[in-house]
C-alpha cells in the first residue's frame, strides 16, 4: 500500500505519477553546430502540419499507467505528404490527434508497440470518435497492427482469461464491448458498421531467429518489414521490455527520410540496427536517480532498470546507430532537460526533451 502524503513529502503513489511538464518549442540540445542549427519544434495544429514532407508529432510523451502532471499519455504520429500513421494510443490521444489536425479520414494505418495499458487505453475511444464521414473519421477499412498472440511468460499468473491475447483479439473484443452503441448508431444514423472500418492485425514474428517469452525473448535480429504502401515502409524489431513479450520498436522509411521509435525498452542492440542512420530517433527514457531516492523496494527498482533506458544508454544507442537527432519521449522521473543531460556523455548529436503535440520535420 502507498504511504499517505504528509508533512514529510508526497506519497509513493504521487511520486509514481509525477512526470513534469516541458515548455512548448523546447530547443535541441547537444554539442556543436548540429544542435545550434536545429530549428525549434513548433506546436502541431491544422495550420502548422505541412501537407508535404515527412514529420513527427509527439501527441503524448509520458510513461504510465498514471496521470503524470499535465502531460498526455504515450502516442505519436508520422505524417507523410498529408496522410498519417499512428504509433500507440495512450491517455487522451484522440483529443491530441484532433487538435493537431490529424483527423481519421487521413489515417493510413495504426501501430501498437506492445499491449501495456498505457499504450492501448484509448483505442476504443479513438475508433468511436473517428467513425466515418460525419466526424471526418476513418471511411475505409484500416488496420491497427500490434503484437500477435503469445503465451504468458513463466511465472505470470493468469488472473483474467484468456491468457493469450493479440491485436486481433483486442480490436474484436473492443467491438464486442461497444456492441450496443455500434448497433444503435449503425441503424439510427446510417453509419458503416465500425467493424468494417477497423481491424486488428497481428504482427507475425520471423521464424528465425526463434523468439520465446522465456528462453529467448529478445534475440539479436535484423529489422523485418511489417507494412508497406506508396508512402512508407515500416519495419519492426523485438525490444527488451520484460516480462512483456512481444514488445516492438518501429522504423518508418519514406523518400524523405527515416523516423524510428524505440517503444518501451531497456538498452538493446536491436535498437542500433533499427535506428541505423535515422533522421529522428524517438526513444523512451527513465531517470533512475529519481526512483532510487524514493523508498521503492529492490524488486521494483530492478524492474525499472531492466525494462527502461537511461539517458546515457540512449546516447550509446544513438551514437552506434549514427542517428542524426534524438527526440526523448515516454519519460519517467524526468522533469527538465537537465534530467537527460547524460545523453551528451555518450552521443555528440542534437537531442531534445519532447513536449506534447510538438512537430518535428525530417
Amino acid at each position: 500500500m502507498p504511504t499517505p502524503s504528509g508533512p514529510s513529502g508526497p506519497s509513493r503513489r504521487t511520486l509514481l505519477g509525477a512526470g513534469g511538464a516541458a515548455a512548448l518549442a523546447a530547443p535541441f540540445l547537444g554539442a556543436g553546430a548540429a544542435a545550434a542549427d536545429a530549428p525549434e519544434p513548433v506546436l502541431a495544429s491544422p495550420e502548422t502540419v505541412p501537407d508535404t514532407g515527412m514529420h513527427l508529432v509527439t501527441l503524448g510523451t509520458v510513461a504510465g499507467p498514471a496521470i503524470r502532471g499535465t502531460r498526455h499519455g504515450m502516442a505519436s504520429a508520422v505524417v507523410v505528404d498529408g496522410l498519417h500513421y499512428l504509433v500507440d494510443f495512450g491517455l487522451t490521444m484522440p483529443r491530441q490527434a484532433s487538435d493537431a489536425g490529424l483527423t481519421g479520414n487521413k489515417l493510413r494505418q495504426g501501430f501498437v508497440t506492445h499491449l501495456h495499458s498505457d499504450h492501448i487505453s484509448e483505442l476504443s475511444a479513438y475508433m468511436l470518435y473517428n467513425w466515418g464521414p460525419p466526424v471526418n473519421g476513418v471511411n475505409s477499412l484500416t488496420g491497427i497492427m500490434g503484437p500477435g498472440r503469445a503465451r504468458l511468460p513463466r511465472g505470470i499468473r493468469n488472473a483474467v482469461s484468456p491468457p493469450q491475447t493479440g491485436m486481433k483479439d483486442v480490436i474484436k473484443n473492443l467491438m464486442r464491448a461497444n456492441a450496443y452503441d455500434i448497433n444503435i448508431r449503425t441503424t439510427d444514423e446510417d453509419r458503416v458498421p465500425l467493424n468494417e472500418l477497423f481491424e486488428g492485425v497481428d504482427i507475425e514474428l520471423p521464424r528465425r531467429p526463434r523468439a520465446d517469452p522465456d528462453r529467448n525473448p529478445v534475440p539479436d535480429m535484423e529489422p523485418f518489414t511489417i507494412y508497406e504502401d506508396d508512402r512508407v515502409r515500416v519495419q519492426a524489431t523485438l525490444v527488451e521490455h520484460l516480462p512483456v513479450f512481444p514488445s516492438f520498436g518501429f522504423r518508418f522509411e519514406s523518400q524523405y527520410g527515416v523516423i524510428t521509435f524505440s517503444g518501451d525498452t531497456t538498452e538493446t542492440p536491436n535498437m542500433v540496427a533499427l535506428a541505423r542512420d535515422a533522421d529522428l530517433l524517438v526513444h523512451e527514457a527513465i531517470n533512475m536517480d529519481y526512483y532510487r531516492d524514493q523508498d521503492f523496494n529492490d524488486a521494483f527498482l530492478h524492474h525499472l532498470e531492466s525494462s527502461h533506458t537511461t539517458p546515457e544508454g540512449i546516447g550509446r544507442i544513438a551514437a552506434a546507430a549514427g542517428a542524426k537527432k534524438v527526440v526523448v519521449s515516454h519519460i519517467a522521473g524526468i522533469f527538465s532537460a537537465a534530467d537527460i543531460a547524460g545523453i551528451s556523455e555518450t552521443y555528440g548529436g542534437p537531442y531534445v526533451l519532447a513536449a506534447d503535440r510538438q512537430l518535428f520535420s525530417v
Side-chain angles (χ1 to χ4, degrees), residues 115 134 190 208 218 220 233 253 279:
L115 298 184
D190 193 28
R208 294 286 184 272
V218 191
D220 290 346
R233 179 175 74 156
E253 301 175 343
D279 295 275

Side-chain angles (χ1 to χ4, degrees), residues 135-173:
V135 292
N136 291 322
V138 171
N139 50 42
S140 61
L141 186 62
T142 302
I144 308 293
M145 303 192 72
R149 286 183 177 179
R151 63 177 176 80
L152 291 173
R154 188 178 296 116
I156 300 297
R157 181 168 60 95
N158 180 26
V160 177
S161 292
Q164 294 186 343
T165 303
M167 204 68 243
K168 286 184 180 180
D169 301 306
V170 169
I171 299 300
K172 181 172 66 176
N173 287 314

Side-chain angles (χ1 to χ4, degrees), residues 167-184:
M167 204 68 243
K168 286 184 180 180
D169 301 306
V170 169
I171 299 300
K172 181 172 66 176
N173 287 314
L174 288 176
M175 295 294 176
R176 289 174 173 173
N178 291 287
Y180 184 85
D181 180 81
I182 293 169
N183 291 332
I184 288 287

